[in-house]
Coordinates of all heavy atoms in Angstrom, one line a residue:
M26 N -26.8 1.5 -6.4 CA -27.9 1.2 -7.4 C -27.4 1.6 -8.7 O -26.6 2.6 -8.9 CB -29.1 2.0 -7.0 CG -30.2 1.9 -8.0 SD -31.8 2.6 -7.6 CE -31.5 4.3 -7.8
I27 N -27.9 0.9 -9.7 CA -27.7 1.2 -11.1 C -29.0 1.3 -11.8 O -29.9 0.5 -11.6 CB -26.7 0.2 -11.9 CG1 -26.5 0.7 -13.3 CG2 -27.3 -1.2 -11.8 CD1 -25.5 -0.1 -14.1
L28 N -29.2 2.4 -12.6 CA -30.4 2.5 -13.4 C -30.0 2.3 -14.9 O -29.1 3.0 -15.4 CB -31.0 3.9 -13.3 CG -32.2 4.2 -14.1 CD1 -33.4 3.3 -13.7 CD2 -32.5 5.6 -14.1
I29 N -30.5 1.2 -15.5 CA -30.1 0.9 -16.9 C -31.1 1.6 -17.8 O -32.3 1.2 -17.8 CB -30.0 -0.6 -17.1 CG1 -29.0 -1.2 -16.1 CG2 -29.7 -0.9 -18.5 CD1 -29.0 -2.7 -16.1
A30 N -30.6 2.5 -18.6 CA -31.5 3.3 -19.4 C -31.4 2.9 -20.9 O -31.9 3.6 -21.8 CB -31.2 4.7 -19.3
D31 N -30.8 1.8 -21.2 CA -30.6 1.4 -22.6 C -30.9 -0.1 -22.7 O -30.3 -0.9 -21.9 CB -29.2 1.7 -23.1 CG -29.1 1.3 -24.6 OD1 -29.8 1.9 -25.4 OD2 -28.3 0.4 -24.9
S32 N -31.7 -0.5 -23.6 CA -32.0 -1.9 -23.7 C -30.9 -2.8 -24.3 O -30.9 -4.0 -24.0 CB -33.3 -2.1 -24.6 OG -33.0 -1.6 -25.9
S33 N -30.0 -2.3 -25.1 CA -29.0 -3.1 -25.7 C -28.1 -3.9 -24.7 O -27.8 -5.0 -24.9 CB -28.1 -2.2 -26.6 OG -28.8 -1.6 -27.6
A34 N -27.7 -3.2 -23.6 CA -26.9 -3.8 -22.6 C -27.6 -5.0 -22.0 O -27.0 -6.1 -21.7 CB -26.5 -2.8 -21.6
L35 N -28.9 -4.8 -21.7 CA -29.7 -5.9 -21.0 C -29.8 -7.1 -22.0 O -29.7 -8.2 -21.6 CB -31.0 -5.4 -20.6 CG -31.1 -4.4 -19.5 CD1 -32.4 -3.8 -19.3 CD2 -30.7 -5.2 -18.2
I36 N -30.1 -6.8 -23.2 CA -30.3 -7.9 -24.2 C -29.0 -8.7 -24.4 O -29.0 -9.9 -24.4 CB -30.8 -7.3 -25.6 CG1 -32.2 -6.8 -25.4 CG2 -30.7 -8.4 -26.6 CD1 -32.7 -6.0 -26.6
A37 N -27.9 -7.9 -24.4 CA -26.5 -8.6 -24.6 C -26.3 -9.5 -23.4 O -25.8 -10.6 -23.5 CB -25.4 -7.6 -24.7
L38 N -26.5 -9.0 -22.2 CA -26.3 -9.8 -21.0 C -27.2 -11.0 -20.9 O -26.8 -12.1 -20.5 CB -26.5 -9.0 -19.7 CG -25.4 -8.0 -19.4 CD1 -25.8 -7.0 -18.3 CD2 -24.1 -8.7 -19.1
A39 N -28.4 -10.9 -21.4 CA -29.4 -12.0 -21.4 C -28.9 -13.1 -22.4 O -29.0 -14.3 -22.1 CB -30.8 -11.5 -21.7
I40 N -28.5 -12.6 -23.5 CA -28.0 -13.6 -24.6 C -26.8 -14.4 -24.0 O -26.7 -15.6 -24.3 CB -27.6 -12.8 -25.9 CG1 -28.8 -12.3 -26.5 CG2 -26.8 -13.7 -26.8 CD1 -28.6 -11.3 -27.7
C41 N -26.0 -13.8 -23.2 CA -24.8 -14.5 -22.7 C -25.1 -15.2 -21.3 O -24.2 -15.6 -20.7 CB -23.7 -13.5 -22.5 SG -23.1 -12.7 -23.9
D42 N -26.4 -15.2 -21.0 CA -26.7 -15.8 -19.6 C -25.9 -15.1 -18.5 O -25.4 -15.8 -17.6 CB -26.5 -17.3 -19.6 CG -27.6 -18.0 -20.4 OD1 -28.8 -17.5 -20.4 OD2 -27.3 -19.0 -21.0
S43 N -25.8 -13.8 -18.6 CA -25.0 -13.1 -17.6 C -25.7 -12.0 -16.9 O -25.0 -11.1 -16.3 CB -23.7 -12.5 -18.3 OG -23.0 -13.5 -18.9
L44 N -27.0 -12.0 -16.8 CA -27.7 -11.0 -16.1 C -27.4 -11.0 -14.6 O -27.4 -10.0 -13.9 CB -29.3 -11.2 -16.2 CG -29.8 -10.8 -17.6 CD1 -31.3 -11.4 -17.7 CD2 -29.8 -9.3 -17.8
S45 N -27.0 -12.2 -14.1 CA -26.6 -12.3 -12.7 C -25.3 -11.4 -12.4 O -25.1 -11.1 -11.2 CB -26.3 -13.7 -12.3 OG -25.2 -14.2 -13.1
L46 N -24.5 -11.0 -13.4 CA -23.4 -10.2 -13.1 C -23.8 -8.8 -12.6 O -23.1 -8.2 -11.7 CB -22.6 -9.9 -14.4 CG -21.8 -11.1 -14.9 CD1 -21.2 -10.8 -16.3 CD2 -20.8 -11.6 -13.9
L47 N -25.0 -8.3 -13.0 CA -25.5 -7.1 -12.5 C -25.7 -7.1 -11.0 O -25.4 -6.2 -10.3 CB -26.8 -6.7 -13.2 CG -26.7 -6.4 -14.7 CD1 -28.1 -6.2 -15.3 CD2 -25.8 -5.1 -14.9
E48 N -26.2 -8.3 -10.5 CA -26.4 -8.4 -9.0 C -25.1 -8.5 -8.3 O -25.0 -8.1 -7.1 CB -27.2 -9.7 -8.8 CG -28.6 -9.8 -9.5 CD -29.5 -8.6 -9.1 OE1 -29.5 -8.2 -7.9 OE2 -30.3 -8.2 -10.0
L49 N -24.1 -9.0 -8.9 CA -22.8 -9.1 -8.3 C -22.1 -7.7 -8.2 O -21.4 -7.4 -7.2 CB -21.8 -10.0 -9.0 CG -22.2 -11.5 -9.0 CD1 -21.3 -12.3 -9.9 CD2 -22.2 -12.0 -7.6
L50 N -22.3 -6.9 -9.2 CA -21.7 -5.6 -9.3 C -22.5 -4.4 -8.5 O -21.9 -3.5 -8.1 CB -21.5 -5.1 -10.7 CG -20.6 -6.0 -11.5 CD1 -20.6 -5.6 -13.0 CD2 -19.1 -5.8 -11.0
Y51 N -23.8 -4.6 -8.5 CA -24.6 -3.5 -7.9 C -25.6 -4.1 -6.9 O -26.2 -5.1 -7.1 CB -25.4 -2.8 -9.0 CG -24.5 -2.3 -10.1 CD1 -24.3 -3.0 -11.3 CD2 -23.8 -1.1 -9.9 CE1 -23.4 -2.5 -12.3 CE2 -22.9 -0.6 -10.9 CZ -22.8 -1.3 -12.1 OH -21.9 -0.9 -13.0
Q52 N -25.8 -3.4 -5.8 CA -26.8 -3.8 -4.8 C -28.2 -3.8 -5.3 O -29.0 -4.6 -5.0 CB -26.7 -2.9 -3.6 CG -25.5 -3.1 -2.7 CD -25.6 -2.2 -1.5 OE1 -26.3 -1.2 -1.5 NE2 -24.9 -2.6 -0.5
E53 N -28.5 -2.8 -6.2 CA -29.8 -2.7 -6.7 C -29.8 -2.4 -8.2 O -29.0 -1.5 -8.6 CB -30.5 -1.5 -6.0 CG -31.9 -1.6 -5.7 CD -32.4 -0.4 -4.9 OE1 -31.7 0.2 -4.1 OE2 -33.6 -0.2 -5.0
V54 N -30.6 -3.0 -9.0 CA -30.7 -2.8 -10.4 C -32.1 -2.3 -10.7 O -33.1 -2.9 -10.3 CB -30.4 -4.1 -11.2 CG1 -30.6 -3.9 -12.7 CG2 -29.0 -4.6 -10.9
R55 N -32.3 -1.2 -11.5 CA -33.5 -0.7 -11.8 C -33.5 -0.3 -13.3 O -32.5 0.0 -13.9 CB -33.9 0.6 -11.0 CG -34.0 0.3 -9.5 CD -35.3 -0.3 -9.2 NE -35.4 -0.6 -7.8 CZ -35.5 -1.8 -7.2 NH1 -35.3 -2.9 -8.0 NH2 -35.6 -1.9 -5.9
V56 N -34.7 -0.4 -13.9 CA -34.9 0.1 -15.3 C -36.1 0.9 -15.4 O -37.1 0.7 -14.7 CB -35.0 -1.1 -16.3 CG1 -33.8 -1.9 -16.3 CG2 -36.2 -2.0 -16.0
P57 N -36.1 1.9 -16.3 CA -37.3 2.7 -16.6 C -38.4 1.8 -17.2 O -38.0 0.8 -17.9 CB -36.9 3.8 -17.5 CG -35.4 3.8 -17.4 CD -35.0 2.4 -17.0
R58 N -39.6 2.1 -17.0 CA -40.7 1.3 -17.6 C -40.5 1.2 -19.2 O -40.8 0.1 -19.7 CB -42.1 1.9 -17.3 CG -43.2 1.1 -17.9 CD -44.6 1.5 -17.4 NE -44.7 1.2 -16.0 CZ -44.8 0.0 -15.4 NH1 -44.9 -1.1 -16.2 NH2 -44.9 -0.1 -14.1
A59 N -40.1 2.3 -19.8 CA -39.9 2.2 -21.3 C -38.9 1.2 -21.7 O -39.1 0.5 -22.7 CB -39.5 3.6 -21.8
V60 N -37.9 1.0 -21.0 CA -36.9 0.0 -21.3 C -37.5 -1.4 -21.0 O -37.3 -2.3 -21.9 CB -35.6 0.2 -20.4 CG1 -34.6 -1.0 -20.6 CG2 -34.9 1.5 -20.8
F61 N -38.2 -1.6 -19.9 CA -38.8 -2.9 -19.6 C -39.8 -3.3 -20.7 O -39.8 -4.4 -21.2 CB -39.5 -2.8 -18.3 CG -40.3 -4.0 -18.0 CD1 -39.7 -5.2 -17.6 CD2 -41.7 -4.1 -18.2 CE1 -40.4 -6.4 -17.3 CE2 -42.4 -5.2 -18.0 CZ -41.8 -6.4 -17.5
E62 N -40.6 -2.3 -21.2 CA -41.6 -2.6 -22.2 C -40.9 -3.0 -23.5 O -41.4 -3.8 -24.3 CB -42.5 -1.4 -22.4 CG -43.5 -1.3 -21.2 CD -44.4 -0.1 -21.2 OE1 -44.2 0.8 -22.2 OE2 -45.2 0.1 -20.3
E63 N -39.8 -2.3 -23.8 CA -39.1 -2.6 -25.1 C -38.5 -4.0 -25.0 O -38.6 -4.8 -26.0 CB -38.0 -1.6 -25.3 CG -37.2 -1.8 -26.6 CD -36.2 -0.8 -26.9 OE1 -36.3 0.4 -26.4 OE2 -35.3 -1.1 -27.6
V64 N -37.8 -4.4 -24.0 CA -37.1 -5.7 -24.0 C -38.0 -6.9 -23.7 O -37.6 -8.0 -23.9 CB -35.9 -5.7 -22.9 CG1 -34.9 -4.7 -23.3 CG2 -36.4 -5.6 -21.5
S65 N -39.2 -6.6 -23.1 CA -40.1 -7.7 -22.8 C -41.2 -8.0 -23.9 O -42.0 -8.8 -23.7 CB -40.8 -7.5 -21.5 OG -41.6 -6.3 -21.5
R66 N -41.1 -7.3 -25.0 CA -42.0 -7.6 -26.1 C -41.7 -9.0 -26.6 O -40.5 -9.3 -26.8 CB -41.8 -6.6 -27.3 CG -42.5 -5.3 -27.0 CD -42.4 -4.4 -28.3 NE -42.0 -3.1 -27.9 CZ -41.1 -2.3 -28.5 NH1 -40.5 -2.8 -29.5 NH2 -40.9 -1.1 -28.0
K67 N -42.7 -9.7 -26.9 CA -42.6 -11.1 -27.4 C -41.7 -11.2 -28.6 O -41.0 -12.2 -28.8 CB -43.9 -11.8 -27.6 CG -44.7 -12.0 -26.3 CD -44.0 -13.0 -25.5 CE -44.8 -13.2 -24.2 NZ -44.1 -14.0 -23.2
S68 N -41.7 -10.2 -29.4 CA -40.9 -10.2 -30.7 C -39.4 -10.0 -30.4 O -38.6 -10.2 -31.3 CB -41.4 -9.2 -31.6 OG -41.2 -7.9 -31.1
K69 N -39.0 -9.6 -29.2 CA -37.6 -9.3 -28.9 C -36.9 -10.6 -28.4 O -37.5 -11.4 -27.7 CB -37.5 -8.3 -27.8 CG -38.0 -6.9 -28.2 CD -37.0 -6.3 -29.1 CE -37.4 -4.8 -29.4 NZ -36.4 -4.1 -30.1
R70 N -35.6 -10.7 -28.8 CA -34.8 -11.8 -28.4 C -34.7 -11.8 -26.9 O -34.4 -10.7 -26.3 CB -33.5 -11.7 -29.1 CG -32.6 -12.9 -28.9 CD -31.4 -12.8 -29.8 NE -30.5 -13.9 -29.5 CZ -29.3 -14.1 -30.1 NH1 -28.9 -13.2 -30.9 NH2 -28.6 -15.2 -29.8
E71 N -34.8 -12.9 -26.3 CA -34.6 -13.1 -24.8 C -35.7 -12.4 -24.0 O -35.5 -12.1 -22.8 CB -33.2 -12.6 -24.3 CG -32.1 -13.3 -25.0 CD -32.0 -14.8 -24.8 OE1 -32.4 -15.3 -23.7 OE2 -31.5 -15.5 -25.7
A72 N -36.9 -12.1 -24.6 CA -37.9 -11.3 -24.0 C -38.4 -12.0 -22.7 O -38.6 -11.4 -21.7 CB -39.1 -11.1 -24.9
D73 N -38.6 -13.3 -22.8 CA -39.1 -14.0 -21.6 C -38.1 -14.0 -20.4 O -38.5 -13.7 -19.3 CB -39.4 -15.5 -21.9 CG -40.7 -15.7 -22.8 OD1 -41.5 -14.7 -22.8 OD2 -40.8 -16.7 -23.5
K74 N -36.9 -14.2 -20.7 CA -35.8 -14.1 -19.7 C -35.8 -12.7 -19.1 O -35.7 -12.5 -17.8 CB -34.5 -14.5 -20.3 CG -33.4 -14.6 -19.3 CD -32.0 -14.9 -20.0 CE -32.0 -16.2 -20.7 NZ -30.7 -16.5 -21.3
L75 N -35.8 -11.7 -19.9 CA -35.7 -10.3 -19.4 C -37.0 -9.9 -18.7 O -36.9 -9.2 -17.7 CB -35.4 -9.3 -20.6 CG -34.0 -9.4 -21.1 CD1 -33.9 -8.8 -22.5 CD2 -33.1 -8.8 -20.1
N76 N -38.1 -10.3 -19.1 CA -39.4 -10.1 -18.4 C -39.3 -10.6 -17.0 O -39.7 -9.9 -16.1 CB -40.6 -10.7 -19.2 CG -41.9 -10.2 -18.7 OD1 -42.0 -9.5 -17.7 ND2 -42.9 -10.7 -19.3
H77 N -38.9 -11.8 -16.9 CA -38.8 -12.4 -15.6 C -37.8 -11.7 -14.7 O -38.0 -11.4 -13.5 CB -38.4 -13.9 -15.7 CG -38.3 -14.6 -14.4 ND1 -39.3 -15.0 -13.6 CD2 -37.1 -15.0 -13.8 CE1 -38.9 -15.5 -12.5 NE2 -37.5 -15.6 -12.6
Y78 N -36.6 -11.4 -15.2 CA -35.5 -10.8 -14.4 C -35.9 -9.4 -14.0 O -35.6 -9.0 -12.9 CB -34.2 -10.8 -15.3 CG -33.1 -10.1 -14.5 CD1 -32.5 -10.7 -13.5 CD2 -32.7 -8.8 -14.9 CE1 -31.4 -10.0 -12.8 CE2 -31.7 -8.1 -14.2 CZ -31.1 -8.8 -13.2 OH -30.1 -8.1 -12.5
L79 N -36.6 -8.6 -14.9 CA -36.8 -7.2 -14.6 C -38.2 -6.9 -14.0 O -38.5 -5.8 -13.6 CB -36.7 -6.4 -15.9 CG -35.3 -6.4 -16.6 CD1 -35.4 -5.8 -18.0 CD2 -34.3 -5.7 -15.7
A80 N -39.0 -7.9 -13.8 CA -40.4 -7.7 -13.4 C -40.5 -6.8 -12.1 O -41.4 -6.0 -12.0 CB -41.1 -9.0 -13.2
N81 N -39.6 -7.0 -11.2 CA -39.7 -6.2 -9.9 C -38.6 -5.1 -9.8 O -38.3 -4.7 -8.8 CB -39.6 -7.2 -8.7 CG -38.2 -7.9 -8.7 OD1 -37.5 -7.9 -9.6 ND2 -37.9 -8.5 -7.5
K82 N -38.1 -4.7 -11.0 CA -37.0 -3.7 -11.0 C -37.4 -2.5 -11.8 O -36.6 -1.7 -12.2 CB -35.8 -4.4 -11.6 CG -35.2 -5.5 -10.8 CD -34.0 -6.2 -11.6 CE -33.3 -7.2 -10.8 NZ -34.1 -8.1 -10.0
I83 N -38.7 -2.3 -12.0 CA -39.2 -1.2 -12.8 C -39.4 0.1 -12.0 O -39.9 0.0 -10.9 CB -40.5 -1.5 -13.5 CG1 -40.3 -2.8 -14.3 CG2 -41.0 -0.4 -14.4 CD1 -41.6 -3.4 -14.7
V84 N -38.9 1.2 -12.5 CA -39.1 2.5 -11.9 C -39.8 3.5 -12.9 O -39.6 3.3 -14.1 CB -37.9 3.2 -11.4 CG1 -37.3 2.4 -10.2 CG2 -36.8 3.4 -12.4
E85 N -40.6 4.3 -12.4 CA -41.2 5.3 -13.3 C -40.3 6.5 -13.4 O -39.9 7.1 -12.4 CB -42.6 5.8 -12.7 CG -43.6 4.7 -12.6 CD -43.9 3.9 -13.9 OE1 -43.9 4.6 -14.9 OE2 -44.2 2.7 -13.8
V86 N -40.0 6.9 -14.6 CA -39.1 8.0 -14.9 C -39.7 8.9 -15.9 O -40.2 8.4 -17.0 CB -37.7 7.5 -15.5 CG1 -36.8 8.7 -15.9 CG2 -37.0 6.6 -14.5
K87 N -39.7 10.2 -15.6 CA -40.3 11.2 -16.6 C -39.1 11.7 -17.4 O -38.3 12.5 -17.0 CB -41.0 12.3 -15.9 CG -41.7 13.2 -16.9 CD -42.5 14.2 -16.2 CE -43.2 15.1 -17.2 NZ -44.1 16.0 -16.6
N88 N -38.9 11.1 -18.6 CA -37.8 11.4 -19.5 C -37.7 12.8 -19.9 O -36.6 13.3 -20.1 CB -37.8 10.5 -20.7 CG -37.5 9.0 -20.4 OD1 -37.0 8.7 -19.3 ND2 -37.8 8.1 -21.2
S89 N -38.8 13.5 -20.1 CA -38.8 14.8 -20.7 C -37.9 15.8 -19.9 O -37.4 16.8 -20.4 CB -40.2 15.3 -20.9 OG -40.8 15.4 -19.6
N90 N -37.8 15.6 -18.6 CA -37.0 16.5 -17.8 C -35.5 16.2 -17.8 O -34.7 17.0 -17.3 CB -37.5 16.4 -16.3 CG -38.9 16.9 -16.2 OD1 -39.3 17.8 -16.9 ND2 -39.5 16.5 -15.2
H91 N -35.1 15.0 -18.3 CA -33.7 14.6 -18.2 C -33.0 14.3 -19.5 O -31.8 14.1 -19.5 CB -33.6 13.3 -17.4 CG -34.3 13.5 -16.0 ND1 -33.7 14.2 -15.0 CD2 -35.4 13.0 -15.6 CE1 -34.5 14.2 -14.0 NE2 -35.5 13.5 -14.3
I92 N -33.7 14.4 -20.6 CA -33.1 14.1 -21.9 C -32.8 15.3 -22.7 O -33.7 16.2 -22.8 CB -34.0 13.1 -22.7 CG1 -34.1 11.8 -22.1 CG2 -33.5 13.0 -24.2 CD1 -35.0 10.8 -22.8
I93 N -31.6 15.5 -23.2 CA -31.2 16.6 -24.1 C -31.7 16.1 -25.5 O -31.2 15.1 -26.0 CB -29.7 16.9 -24.0 CG1 -29.4 17.3 -22.6 CG2 -29.4 17.9 -25.1 CD1 -27.9 17.4 -22.4
K94 N -32.5 16.8 -26.1 CA -33.1 16.4 -27.4 C -32.0 16.7 -28.5 O -31.5 17.8 -28.5 CB -34.4 17.1 -27.7 CG -35.4 16.7 -26.7 CD -36.8 17.1 -27.0 CE -37.6 16.6 -25.9 NZ -39.0 16.5 -26.2
K95 N -31.7 15.7 -29.3 CA -30.8 15.9 -30.4 C -31.5 15.6 -31.7 O -32.6 15.1 -31.7 CB -29.6 14.9 -30.1 CG -28.8 15.3 -28.9 CD -27.5 14.4 -28.9 CE -26.7 14.9 -27.7 NZ -25.4 14.2 -27.6
R96 N -30.8 15.7 -32.7 CA -31.3 15.4 -34.0 C -31.6 13.9 -34.1 O -30.9 13.1 -33.6 CB -30.3 15.7 -35.1 CG -30.9 16.6 -36.2 CD -29.8 16.9 -37.1 NE -30.4 16.6 -38.4 CZ -30.0 17.2 -39.5 NH1 -29.0 18.1 -39.4 NH2 -30.5 17.0 -40.6
G97 N -32.8 13.5 -34.7 CA -33.1 12.1 -34.8 C -34.2 11.9 -33.7 O -34.5 12.7 -32.8
N98 N -34.8 10.7 -33.8 CA -35.8 10.3 -32.9 C -35.4 9.0 -32.1 O -35.2 8.0 -32.7 CB -37.1 10.0 -33.6 CG -37.6 11.3 -34.3 OD1 -37.7 12.3 -33.7 ND2 -37.9 11.2 -35.6
L99 N -35.3 9.2 -30.8 CA -35.1 8.0 -30.0 C -36.3 7.5 -29.4 O -37.2 8.2 -29.0 CB -34.1 8.3 -28.8 CG -32.7 8.7 -29.2 CD1 -31.9 9.1 -28.0 CD2 -32.0 7.6 -29.9
G100 N -36.4 6.2 -29.3 CA -37.6 5.5 -28.6 C -37.4 5.7 -27.1 O -36.4 6.1 -26.6
G101 N -38.4 5.3 -26.3 CA -38.4 5.5 -24.9 C -37.3 4.6 -24.3 O -36.8 4.9 -23.2
G102 N -36.9 3.5 -24.9 CA -35.9 2.6 -24.4 C -34.5 2.9 -25.0 O -33.6 2.1 -24.8
G103 N -34.3 3.9 -25.7 CA -33.0 4.3 -26.2 C -32.8 3.9 -27.7 O -31.8 4.2 -28.3
K104 N -33.7 3.2 -28.3 CA -33.6 2.8 -29.7 C -34.1 3.9 -30.6 O -35.1 4.5 -30.3 CB -34.3 1.5 -30.0 CG -33.8 0.3 -29.3 CD -32.5 -0.1 -29.9 CE -32.0 -1.4 -29.3 NZ -30.7 -1.8 -29.7
K105 N -33.4 4.1 -31.7 CA -33.9 5.1 -32.7 C -35.2 4.5 -33.4 O -35.2 3.4 -33.8 CB -32.9 5.3 -33.8 CG -33.2 6.4 -34.7 CD -32.1 6.8 -35.6 CE -32.5 7.9 -36.5 NZ -31.5 8.3 -37.4
K106 N -36.2 5.3 -33.5 CA -37.4 4.9 -34.1 C -37.2 5.0 -35.6 O -36.7 6.0 -36.1 CB -38.6 5.8 -33.7 CG -39.0 5.7 -32.3 CD -40.2 6.5 -32.0 CE -40.6 6.3 -30.5 NZ -41.7 7.2 -30.2
R107 N -37.6 4.0 -36.3 CA -37.5 3.9 -37.8 C -38.6 4.6 -38.5 O -39.7 4.5 -38.0 CB -37.3 2.5 -38.2 CG -36.1 1.8 -37.7 CD -36.0 0.4 -38.1 NE -35.0 -0.3 -37.4 CZ -33.8 -0.5 -37.7 NH1 -33.4 0.0 -38.9 NH2 -32.9 -1.2 -37.0
G108 N -38.3 5.2 -39.6 CA -39.4 5.7 -40.4 C -40.0 7.0 -39.9 O -41.0 7.5 -40.4
L109 N -39.3 7.7 -39.0 CA -39.8 9.0 -38.6 C -38.8 10.1 -39.0 O -37.7 10.0 -39.1 CB -39.9 9.0 -37.0 CG -40.9 8.1 -36.5 CD1 -40.9 8.2 -34.9 CD2 -42.3 8.4 -36.9

């Protein structure tokens, strides 16, 4: 199983029509809800494709127990929040 915790890799694979590579490399693909919500926003590139691909691959993850807090503000899907 692979848990993808960053939206950039998913968006890049979707742009290249290569999401199917994940299925070839890993038996199971999962994403945290925060990543799913980030990549499936209508304003995001390839949102429809990613929404469809990831709809049954969402897992609930409590990030606060696993993230080492560093300087700066990261969004739930790995992106830095602007203006904070």
Side-chain angles (χ1 to χ4, degrees):
M26 175 173 73
I27 183 173
L28 177 69
I29 301 172
D31 182 67
S32 60
S33 300
L35 288 168
I36 293 168
L38 287 170
I40 290 169
C41 298
D42 285 326
S43 299
L44 288 168
S45 60
L46 291 176
L47 293 173
E48 305 296 329
L49 293 173
L50 295 171
Y51 304 99
Q52 285 183 340
E53 215 175 335
V54 176
R55 298 284 181 246
V56 295
R58 180 166 298 283
V60 171
F61 174 77
E62 289 174 357
E63 183 176 335
V64 300
S65 63
R66 281 188 224 135
K67 291 294 179 191
S68 61
K69 293 287 186 173
R70 188 170 177 184
E71 305 295 331
D73 289 336
K74 187 184 296 184
L75 287 162
N76 188 0
H77 177 73
Y78 177 76
L79 297 171
N81 63 345
K82 295 174 174 46
I83 303 165
V84 293
E85 299 301 329
V86 176
K87 187 172 182 176
N88 290 341
S89 61
N90 293 334
H91 304 290
I92 294 178
I93 298 171
K94 297 190 180 198
K95 293 187 177 185
R96 233 177 131 152
N98 296 310
L99 292 179
K104 294 287 186 183
K105 185 172 182 179
K106 291 183 180 179
R107 296 178 193 266
L109 295 177

